[in-house]
Amino acid sequence: MRLAPFLVLALLTACSRKTEPVPRDKDTGSGSGSGSAAPIATKYDQISRTDFNRYAVRQNIGLYWIADTDKDSTLDPEELATLMFYPPPPPLAEAYPKIVAASKQPPSAEVRQKLAGEELDQGRPTLVHTDLTKLGADDKKFVDHMLKVGELIDQLYSIQLGTSELEAKLPADPESHSLFRRNWGPKCDAPATQTNKSCSAIPGAPKPILGIYPAEIQTDDKFCTMLEKHPQAKTLMAPFVAVRGPATKLEAVPFTQAFAPQMTAISKELTAAADAMKDPAEGPLVAYLRAAAKAFTTNDWVSADEPWSKMNSGNSKWYVRVGPDETYWEPCAQKAGAHLTFARIDQNAKEWQAKLAPVKQDMETSIAAKAGAPYTARTVQFNLPDFIEVVINAGDDRDPLGATIGQSLPNWGKVSDENRDRTMVMSNFYVDPDSLAARRSQAESMFDADSMKSYSGTPLPSNLATILHELTHNLGPYEGYKVGGKKPAEAFGGPIASMMEELKAQTGALFLIELLRGKKIVDDELAAQTYIDSIVWAFGHISQGMKDGDGNRKAYSNLAAIQVGFLIDKGVLVWNAQAKAANGKDTGAFTLDMKKMVAAVDEMMKVVGGIKARGDKAAAEALIAKYPDGKIVPHDVITERFLRFPKASFVYSLSR
Ligand SMILES: [Zn+2]
């Protein structure tokens, strides 16, 4: 389970972290300094940093202007990063004039191409940079193998998505190529373009044929419902199998068989990574790499979870999770998508681990009390979150827009059932100055000035909410909890089950604040800051729309609308059509009545926990009808004000 934020900031380390320019990667020449033939007098001062980065994306050129550090409005070579997951870029001297020319061109007269540009512009490229220059030679070899694993995972995920076959149909223009690269296929994903049928990287907007289901059943829009009602639904809809046809005789085929060449290659590369890791202190990591390598040939992911659950921030410098995990990516929300999270452990987590460890059981007891019968409190033993700094996200992890900032895994199997999950908080997303400034402006467009006094604009409140969200996945009625013999996906159907689980987690993020305040772990100020921050988080998700381009409900957007609608009904959020927003420009703003917050959030936990405890599908559907689909939440105002700002679209670079 994961928390895919809109603009949630990350971690408590941020006060000490700035986005510093990084030296250019020496062996990936990006232009001016790398050889004797480099132009000497070229001055890159023709466009702003924002435009350089925007039109580089449009041109599908993997170069990024990190910051105008010396404030001379000129792109200096040391301010430039070379990006991964792009085609190798030309030297800067060659790329710069192309990018400038693109910025001066009028929009394409061709509708599809114009829309492709608009789709790309809704993401603000935002750099995730990792400096590995201080690593020893062996560690660098290990990293090289992990990067290769990332490439192979990307290929496997494209096959699961069914997009790899469409690549040959791409027209020549760079916008189409860039859109296809960023979005994992031809489909538009950004709020203003996702429902426009003409928006696609490929003329005619062909729909990919998913690699996990037979092509012939996918012509029917309702094929997920058909599969859920199939007599063999349990076998067919298991997370680690592909469904193969014909439609009259469907069968489940293990991923390792369905995607054998790709999975075998990943297995070999993981073994090579394990062999390359020579540091004797990294035993737990090596054990996991070998177990994961094995799972890529046996499909026994549950066994690989054992050594994985034994790694922690105390026994490894690295964080690796590789394999099929989350199900949000596919329309039936049942099959696990291939991904690699490759990160370094951020050592700053320990303070919060120490604070929260003693109150885990109290948290479970209080959530169980709210959820009510037939759920009863369990003895909980889950691990507190590890904080990680992502080096690369591959496959299902690398979203076109935004990024996962918190995750609890595994989703199935013994480790999960026995509550030995690991929870991660990704600490290096959304902490750059561009992201922080954009988010504050969004908040100031929705709240009046008085309410904004609680908004800190620092990463801590968001981090705390993320930690509590992730913790709550381990609390109350959980993924393995059965009511009437049915697990959540059977009781609610896949998409509503996913949404309700996320709603429970995010409701926990609000509800547990008061418990922590009572125990003096969180003070009054941080409590208030966290509440308003979580509402801004919710507005962000609402602005993304309730459904994707294919008409599937978005879990976070729906839960966000339920929470905001609930808080409006309880008088916590009061819309005043005459009030000036804190930005001084917009008329019509929310006032936040903090005094009513605790009681409202208590009630929310009771409603949401109760629905999960009873497996009450009708009540879940009623919530959806009332808030995501109803008129209580001012969807249009939120959307218009939030979408003035592009979403972060994360791009990656390394120096080593
Ligand atoms: Zn979650």
Side-chain angles (χ1 to χ4, degrees):
M1 288 295 134
R2 68 188 184 189
L3 181 61
F6 173 51
L7 282 173
V8 178
L9 327 172
L11 290 236
L12 29 83
T13 57
C15 338
S16 62
R17 187 185 302 127
K18 283 181 290 181
T19 304
E20 303 282 3
V22 287
R24 231 164 1 99
D25 196 341
K26 286 197 183 62
D27 49 18
T28 53
S30 41
S32 49
S34 56
S36 54
I40 295 158
T42 314
K43 216 174 166 221
Y44 303 115
D45 60 355
Q46 293 172 48
I47 47 174
S48 68
R49 173 175 167 259
T50 308
D51 276 350
F52 177 86
N53 288 338
R54 172 180 167 194
Y55 286 98
V57 172
R58 279 193 174 224
Q59 290 296 299
N60 203 25
I61 293 173
L63 295 176
Y64 183 89
W65 186 349
I66 302 161
D68 186 18
T69 316
D70 54 5
K71 301 215 165 22
D72 64 350
S73 303
T74 302
L75 167 56
D76 302 313
E78 64 275 14
E79 295 171 356
L80 191 72
T82 301
L83 303 179
M84 295 186 278
F85 310 115
Y86 272 78
L92 181 61
E94 204 181 294
Y96 194 82
K98 277 191 195 172
I99 293 167
V100 172
S103 76
K104 300 203 157 51
Q105 254 167 33
S108 169
E110 202 244 309
V111 173
R112 187 199 58 80
Q113 212 177 316
K114 179 170 163 284
L115 286 169
E118 289 173 17
E119 162 75 14
L120 290 170
D121 283 355
Q122 291 170 74
R124 182 193 67 242
T126 303
L127 187 65
V128 177
H129 177 264
T130 307
D131 181 358
L132 298 173
T133 49
K134 293 192 178 72
L135 286 188
D138 286 341
D139 277 359
K140 283 182 182 170
K141 268 187 209 149
F142 160 72
V143 170
D144 285 340
H145 287 297
M146 292 312 298
L147 297 179
K148 182 74 192 165
V149 170
E151 275 173 39
L152 295 167
I153 286 283
D154 279 1
Q155 289 167 20
L156 171 59
Y157 183 55
S158 300
I159 291 166
Q160 286 190 312
L161 282 166
T163 52
S164 53
E165 316 229 313
L166 289 175
E167 210 164 340
K169 295 188 176 166
L170 276 171
D173 68 280
E175 280 94 347
S176 299
H177 282 262
S178 195
L179 194 168
F180 192 92
R181 170 194 52 73
R182 190 191 77 176
N183 289 16
W184 291 102
K187 197 160 78 75
C188 291
D189 249 354
T193 33
Q194 65 185 354
T195 53
N196 190 323
K197 300 256 178 294
S198 309
C199 190
S200 173
I202 299 173
K207 219 172 145 181
I209 297 163
L210 293 159
I212 47 170
Y213 299 114
E216 61 168 301
I217 66 169
Q218 294 180 50
T219 48
D220 179 358
D221 281 350
K222 300 251 181 315
F223 78 92
C224 293
T225 318
M226 182 275 283
L227 287 169
E228 278 172 15
K229 290 185 175 148
H230 195 278
Q232 270 90 51
K234 255 196 180 131
T235 319
L236 293 175
M237 296 313 267
F240 306 131
V241 299
V243 180
R244 293 290 177 254
T248 47
K249 197 175 168 289
L250 295 174
E251 59 171 343
V253 177
F255 279 168
T256 42
Q257 201 180 316
F259 311 116
Q262 295 77 25
M263 287 212 159
T264 310
I266 294 167
S267 175
K268 283 193 182 130
E269 203 58 43
L270 283 168
T271 303
D275 292 343
M277 177 46 77
K278 304 289 187 215
D279 184 347
E282 291 286 351
L285 169 68
V286 170
Y288 170 60
L289 292 171
R290 296 202 189 285
K294 199 172 167 202
F296 272 95
T297 61
T298 60
N299 217 38
D300 181 6
W301 308 99
V302 171
S303 292
D305 287 338
E306 291 295 338
W308 185 73
S309 69
K310 294 188 175 73
M311 280 192 296
N312 58 51
S313 48
N315 66 20
S316 180
K317 294 196 296 283
W318 299 96
Y319 173 84
V320 177
R321 175 76 187 182
V322 62
D325 273 311
E326 301 283 14
T327 61
Y328 309 92
W329 64 284
E330 63 101 354
C332 310
Q334 304 265 10
K335 303 289 177 192
H339 78 118
L340 164 70
T341 314
F342 178 48
R344 291 191 297 180
I345 293 286
D346 178 341
Q347 298 297 336
N348 292 291
K350 295 192 173 135
E351 180 197 347
W352 277 97
Q353 289 182 337
K355 283 182 187 175
L356 297 176
V359 296
K360 284 192 288 196
Q361 193 59 47
D362 290 345
M363 291 176 169
E364 166 66 6
T365 306
S366 61
I367 288 183
K370 290 287 166 204
Y375 183 76
T376 48
R378 297 171 293 157
T379 305
V380 292
Q381 284 166 335
F382 59 88
N383 300 310
L384 285 153
D386 286 325
F387 290 36
I388 63 172
E389 296 180 303
V390 171
V391 178
I392 59 163
N393 270 337
D396 185 32
D397 277 355
R398 198 170 65 251
D399 297 329
L401 301 168
T404 296
I405 50 148
Q407 194 169 31
S408 285
L409 290 172
N411 288 326
W412 304 277
K414 206 159 171 264
V415 168
S416 172
D417 293 344
E418 293 174 4
N419 247 357
R420 291 183 283 121
D421 311 57
R422 283 182 78 185
T423 300
M424 289 67 64
V425 173
M426 290 69 170
S427 68
N428 59 336
F429 291 125
Y430 300 102
V431 287
D432 60 291
D434 297 345
S435 297
L436 293 178
R439 193 168 192 268
R440 175 175 282 281
S441 300
Q442 288 172 320
E444 285 175 344
S445 76
M446 289 303 302
F447 285 110
D448 60 27
D450 228 35
S451 304
M452 272 302 286
K453 285 179 186 155
S454 304
Y455 185 83
S456 78
T458 62
L460 180 57
S462 302
N463 296 335
L464 180 59
T466 305
I467 294 168
L468 295 177
H469 172 112
E470 291 306 329
L471 278 180
T472 309
H473 277 308
N474 300 286
L475 302 173
Y478 57 107
E479 278 303 285
Y481 167 74
K482 286 184 183 170
V483 57
K486 289 178 174 177
K487 285 194 174 186
E490 297 160 290
F492 294 102
I496 296 183
S498 289
M499 194 280 287
M500 285 304 301
E501 175 59 27
E502 294 306 326
L503 175 59
K504 177 198 78 178
Q506 187 60 19
T507 302
L510 296 171
F511 170 73
L512 293 171
I513 294 290
E514 180 60 12
L515 184 145
L516 296 178
R517 204 183 64 86
K519 294 183 184 297
K520 305 214 181 323
I521 295 169
V522 163
D523 63 19
D524 295 2
E525 191 185 17
L526 180 56
Q529 289 170 346
T530 308
Y531 288 130
I532 190 170
D533 200 89
S534 293
I535 296 170
V536 175
W537 177 92
F539 287 155
H541 274 292
I542 291 169
S543 74
Q544 300 302 299
M546 295 298 118
K547 291 181 180 173
D548 68 16
D550 294 330
N552 303 308
R553 282 190 187 279
K554 296 181 179 178
Y556 299 103
S557 299
N558 281 259
L559 83 82
I562 291 170
Q563 290 196 327
V564 167
F566 200 94
L567 294 176
I568 291 171
D569 276 349
K570 298 288 165 197
V572 175
L573 285 172
V574 182
W575 180 256
N576 181 345
Q578 273 75 50
K580 270 270 176 257
N583 62 12
K585 292 180 206 136
D586 289 299
T587 305
F590 274 118
T591 301
L592 180 57
D593 187 348
M594 252 341 154
K595 292 190 297 299
K596 293 183 177 163
M597 182 66 87
V598 171
V601 165
D602 260 39
E603 180 68 19
M604 193 192 293
M605 194 74 244
K606 196 172 160 190
V607 169
V608 172
I611 291 173
K612 291 265 302 175
R614 301 187 304 273
D616 191 344
K617 189 178 180 187
E621 284 172 340
L623 275 185
I624 293 169
K626 191 169 181 192
Y627 301 122
D629 295 354
K631 292 197 176 1
I632 293 167
V633 177
H635 290 270
D636 293 348
V637 176
I638 296 170
T639 304
E640 188 276 315
R641 294 188 189 174
F642 265 64
L643 295 192
R644 293 169 190 168
F645 301 86
K647 257 189 115 168
S649 172
F650 291 101
V651 292
Y652 299 79
S653 78
L654 284 182
S655 32
R656 58 202 170 108

